[in-house]
Amino acid sequence: MKKTLLATAIAGAAALAATSASAATVYNQDGTKLDIYGNVQLAYGYVDQLGGDPESELADNGSTFGAKGEHKINDDIVGYFKAEWEYDADESKGGGNGLNDGDQSYVGAKGSFGDARIGSWDQLMDDWIQDPISNNEYFDLTDSSTQIDGDSQTREGNKLQYMSPVMGGLQFAVGSNFEGDGEDENVTDSNQASFFAGAKYTVGGFSIAGVYDNLDQFEATNGSDIGDQYGITGQYTVDALRIAVKAERFAGEEDDTDVDYYGIGARYGYGMGDVYGGYQYVDAEDASTVASENGGDDSFNEFNLGVTYNISSAMYTYIEYAQYDRSGDDGDGAAVGIYYGF
């Protein structure tokens, strides 16, 4: 699940700044800086299951440990890196329960020319289109990425991206996800590279962003594309309130496989935490995966609600509820959790 730190989410800060809010600087000399940071996240969730009894668990909810650094190449350019690993905070004792999964990891350079990087991190579609609506602690609304074959390793890894500086409120990004024929997650026996691009315009408290991804790294074994992914999001922030709206589409290559997502979300900082919620209408064509998995139903009304409470500047707790309008109430549930960042 996605995570967000409370105050920075309201301010619309970048994910890197959010995760590094309490980072400890272990070295800073001669233009070279190294920080370490991390978090412990635990949650109890109660979730309905299709064709079975509801399931509950006390589980890790994305605990991470990370390091980031930068050094001055010249008066204009800074080189940097970031590396994160995940671990199971609920069952860390015992073999295999330490730092057991990779998360974001990349290296790049930034300056007046913009920002260029290579490695693994969240999709641009995720950062600019989906997160403003529903970037919660335990439950999220669904999105077009759930219609793509392959896990987040395939969608987020092996990327190259250039992001421009902000020029008169306008910023753009272009990049590619490359899957070579030697990659285990490659779905064919040939080299494949996607193309994605986005643009964002910000003026005052208002911003609008659009993103397109041709998903060519997911080319089917018969040589055809699985489709395209695109969306547009607008958001407005005033004082401690942020409101965002979204239109997003997974445009399937095959007939009757398109899925549209229309959402609205809001988050308000009440002083000791946040109150937030989102609603989304999902319109799925008959032959799409989301329709076929739900008895042919082709429209769904999703919503989630949550509230956080700050225990301290580094620690907070929360409660969330979500409903997805799926067959057998599949995925509906509630959760309560705690976060400690360092």
Side-chain angles (χ1 to χ4, degrees):
M1 296 296 174
K2 305 183 186 74
K3 313 299 182 295
T4 181
L5 289 183
L6 312 174
T8 52
I10 287 296
L16 177 61
T19 54
S20 305
S22 54
T25 299
V26 297
Y27 182 85
N28 190 0
Q29 187 174 343
D30 299 327
T32 297
K33 182 181 179 182
L34 176 65
D35 293 340
I36 59 171
Y37 64 92
N39 55 70
V40 178
Q41 303 184 53
L42 292 165
Y44 173 80
Y46 180 91
V47 181
D48 288 324
Q49 308 295 314
L50 178 62
D53 295 331
E55 294 182 356
S56 62
E57 62 175 346
L58 176 61
D60 179 80
N61 194 40
S63 301
T64 59
F65 179 82
K68 69 184 185 74
E70 62 180 44
H71 76 282
K72 187 176 181 181
I73 297 175
N74 57 40
D75 289 340
D76 181 55
I77 301 176
V78 173
Y80 65 88
F81 85 94
K82 181 180 180 182
E84 284 186 354
W85 302 270
E86 295 183 347
Y87 61 94
D88 296 326
D90 61 319
E91 298 173 342
S92 61
K93 188 175 179 64
N97 290 328
L99 297 177
N100 50 26
D101 287 301
D103 198 354
Q104 300 185 70
S105 183
Y106 51 84
V107 61
K110 58 186 177 180
S112 61
F113 70 94
D115 187 316
R117 66 171 65 168
I118 182 171
S120 173
W121 63 92
D122 290 347
Q123 290 177 282
L124 187 66
M125 182 72 68
D126 192 0
D127 288 342
W128 281 12
I129 304 300
Q130 299 162 0
D131 279 358
I133 304 298
S134 177
N135 184 23
N136 302 332
E137 308 298 328
Y138 195 90
F139 296 102
D140 273 336
L141 301 176
T142 63
D143 55 59
S144 60
S145 297
T146 62
Q147 304 305 308
I148 303 171
D149 293 332
D151 56 19
S152 59
Q153 175 184 351
T154 308
R155 296 194 299 270
E156 299 175 9
N158 299 332
K159 285 197 302 189
L160 302 92
Q161 177 182 284
Y162 167 75
M163 185 171 292
S164 76
V166 179
M167 301 169 290
L170 179 65
Q171 186 176 35
F172 69 88
V174 294
S176 178
N177 173 296
F178 175 77
E179 296 294 338
D181 54 16
E183 300 277 359
D184 291 339
E185 66 269 20
N186 194 328
V187 296
T188 74
D189 293 326
S190 62
N191 295 328
Q192 301 173 100
S194 72
F195 170 77
F196 63 84
K200 179 190 291 186
Y201 179 72
T202 303
V203 55
F206 173 77
S207 68
I208 186 168
V211 174
Y212 167 78
D213 193 328
N214 68 10
L215 303 178
D216 277 359
Q217 78 275 32
F218 295 99
E219 186 179 62
T221 54
N222 63 5
S224 65
D225 294 337
I226 66 166
D228 302 285
Q229 183 184 24
Y230 49 88
I232 185 169
T233 292
Q235 56 181 320
Y236 181 70
T237 302
V238 54
D239 297 328
L241 175 66
R242 185 189 68 196
I243 300 174
V245 294
K246 175 190 75 172
E248 182 183 2
R249 166 171 282 198
F250 171 76
E253 182 70 15
E254 303 298 326
D255 292 339
D256 298 324
T257 56
D258 295 350
V259 185
D260 292 313
Y261 303 81
Y262 305 100
I264 182 169
R267 180 177 288 262
Y268 177 73
Y270 65 89
M272 294 301 295
D274 289 1
V275 178
Y276 52 92
Y279 165 79
Q280 182 169 254
Y281 177 73
V282 181
D283 184 12
E285 292 188 335
D286 293 342
S288 66
T289 301
V290 67
S292 62
E293 289 179 348
N294 289 276
D297 290 345
D298 56 7
S299 64
F300 309 90
N301 293 285
E302 305 175 350
F303 73 87
N304 55 31
L305 298 169
V307 60
T308 65
Y309 178 78
N310 296 336
I311 299 171
S312 69
S313 60
M315 189 175 184
Y316 64 87
T317 187
Y318 62 86
I319 185 169
E320 286 186 359
Y321 174 76
Q323 183 172 307
Y324 295 98
D325 194 23
R326 299 299 197 268
S327 297
D329 296 330
D330 187 34
D332 294 358
V336 59
I338 191 166
Y339 175 104
Y340 184 93
F342 57 90

